[in-house]
Amino acid sequence: SNGLHTSNASMGACQLKSTGAAARAAVPEVRLRHHCRTISRRAGPNAHHRSSRGCPAIRKAPGPRRVWVRPAATGSNGRDSSGARSLLVLEGDSRVGVAVVRKLLEHGDEFRVSTTVSPEGASGTHAKALAALQVAVHEQNYEAVATARPDVIVSCIDSRRRCGAVHERNQVFVDAALELGASTFVFISSVGAGDSSDALPGPAKETMKAVMSDKYIAERYLSSKQGLDHLVLRCPPLNDIASDGEVGRPTLTEDPMAYGWITPAGVADLVYGCLSSDRLEMGRTYSAVDQNTIFVTNPFLRPLEAHECVPFEPTPI
């Protein structure tokens, strides 16, 4: 199962909260007095959990096409002579990773981006999409951090069978970040980890129990380290109805009960917003959801009952 579980099966407990045309045009600061009608749907966001393709057991497939870029001269703080911050995306060949790399490349004046690829290499589903981007690519190991010398690391490491536990793979880079002087580490986790477990629909709790436990161990290890600014962004199932490139209306909240869908581009938009914000508090764990696709995992809600479109307090970034 993919840690950022996708939504394809049915679940009657979730009630889709449609925001309507007016809400789509609203700015990210949500007006909680606005109401809308919930619409009962047969397909809910716990339908998800497509199996990821496993890593090759014996033969190592070649990675995506490497586009080696001569690194600019950097100082000890990870910035080049133009002031751009050096940034390393872990597993840029994952579904979310490709979107994050693409988004940050759009801001080349702010970030000098490089990425690692998962052990799946070219056999990964999204490897071709990454290969089409003009980005420096490294093997996924400690040497990637030693070579890139990033100021910021964004971990998109997800759950893939036979690739090892997420917390073990992520720990390598947390340790490398501390040893080699990175200042910020962003970990893309999942809604359902830690104190957000009750946000999951009932059937998904058991299905995803091992994955969520793995992600939570990774979260705790990162938050236990002193001297490294960090953020944990917990994402709900990825939206399989909208295009991966559709941003939607993504938002962050510290409410662990937030749940719904989000697109890869929506996650990427939030990552960029966090890194460029001067208001967001570091050292926190946030849930990331799309305001257009909020679900309420409450079996006692009646269809068409009126509720607030966003039943939590969004965090400004």
Side-chain angles (χ1 to χ4, degrees):
S1 296
N2 190 321
L4 287 175
H5 35 290
T6 53
S7 49
N8 293 319
S10 63
M11 189 280 302
C14 291
Q15 304 294 332
L16 175 63
K17 304 191 62 79
S18 172
T19 59
R24 293 189 191 94
V27 293
E29 288 75 12
V30 178
R31 296 179 174 83
L32 297 181
R33 65 175 179 272
H34 180 69
H35 287 65
C36 68
R37 304 173 73 192
T38 58
I39 301 175
S40 177
R41 285 179 64 101
R42 293 182 180 273
N46 72 316
H48 18 62
H49 323 146
R50 275 198 230 148
S51 294
S52 301
R53 295 178 59 183
C55 301
I58 300 176
R59 186 177 63 184
K60 183 178 179 182
R65 175 174 60 87
R66 267 62 169 169
V67 181
W68 296 106
V69 179
R70 183 182 298 276
T74 59
S76 59
N77 64 347
R79 294 178 184 268
D80 64 20
S81 57
S82 69
R85 302 172 73 185
S86 176
L87 186 147
L88 178 66
V89 178
L90 305 180
E91 287 196 8
D93 57 336
S94 65
R95 188 176 173 189
V96 168
V98 170
V100 171
V101 170
R102 182 180 291 114
K103 178 68 177 181
L104 295 174
L105 285 174
E106 293 174 359
H107 299 275
D109 58 328
E110 299 176 57
F111 301 104
R112 182 167 49 81
V113 183
S114 59
T115 186
T116 68
V117 293
S118 71
E120 288 181 317
S123 65
T125 306
H126 304 283
K128 289 184 178 179
L130 178 65
L133 302 176
Q134 297 296 308
V135 61
V137 179
H138 307 279
E139 299 297 333
Q140 187 154 304
N141 51 37
Y142 181 95
E143 291 303 315
V145 183
T147 301
R149 289 287 177 167
D151 180 44
V152 181
I153 296 177
V154 179
S155 174
C156 300
I157 295 176
D158 63 7
S159 302
R160 306 182 189 211
R161 294 176 299 173
R162 298 190 297 276
C163 286
V166 169
H167 74 272
E168 293 175 346
R169 289 148 59 203
N170 199 65
Q171 179 177 331
V172 171
F173 294 97
V174 174
D175 292 343
L178 285 166
E179 292 174 15
L180 298 174
S183 67
T184 306
F185 198 107
V186 179
F187 177 53
I188 308 298
S189 186
S190 296
V191 170
D195 62 355
S196 66
S197 61
D198 287 340
L200 289 179
K205 289 183 181 179
E206 285 304 314
T207 303
M208 301 298 295
K209 187 174 181 179
V211 171
M212 297 307 169
S213 177
D214 185 18
K215 289 289 186 79
Y216 187 48
I217 293 172
E219 291 182 9
R220 287 190 301 169
Y221 187 81
L222 174 61
S223 62
S224 71
K225 298 303 174 181
Q226 302 295 320
L228 182 64
D229 285 339
H230 73 275
L231 288 173
V232 174
L233 303 185
R234 291 174 175 166
C235 298
L238 295 177
N239 191 333
D240 285 340
I241 297 177
S243 164
D244 280 8
E246 182 177 327
V247 175
R249 297 173 61 228
T251 190
L252 295 180
T253 178
E254 291 190 83
D255 187 339
M257 290 302 293
Y259 193 68
W261 288 341
I262 196 166
T263 64
V267 177
D269 193 68
L270 289 174
V271 169
Y272 171 70
C274 290
L275 295 177
S276 59
S277 174
D278 58 2
R279 296 191 294 172
L280 195 68
E281 186 174 352
M282 302 298 288
R284 297 283 188 150
T285 297
Y286 299 96
S287 292
V289 291
D290 187 337
Q291 297 171 40
N292 291 336
T293 50
I294 299 295
F295 289 86
V296 178
T297 54
N298 186 335
F300 303 106
L301 289 178
R302 297 188 300 275
L304 304 182
E305 186 176 1
H307 290 274
E308 291 179 338
C309 292
V310 182
F312 53 79
E313 184 67 29
T315 299
I317 58 176

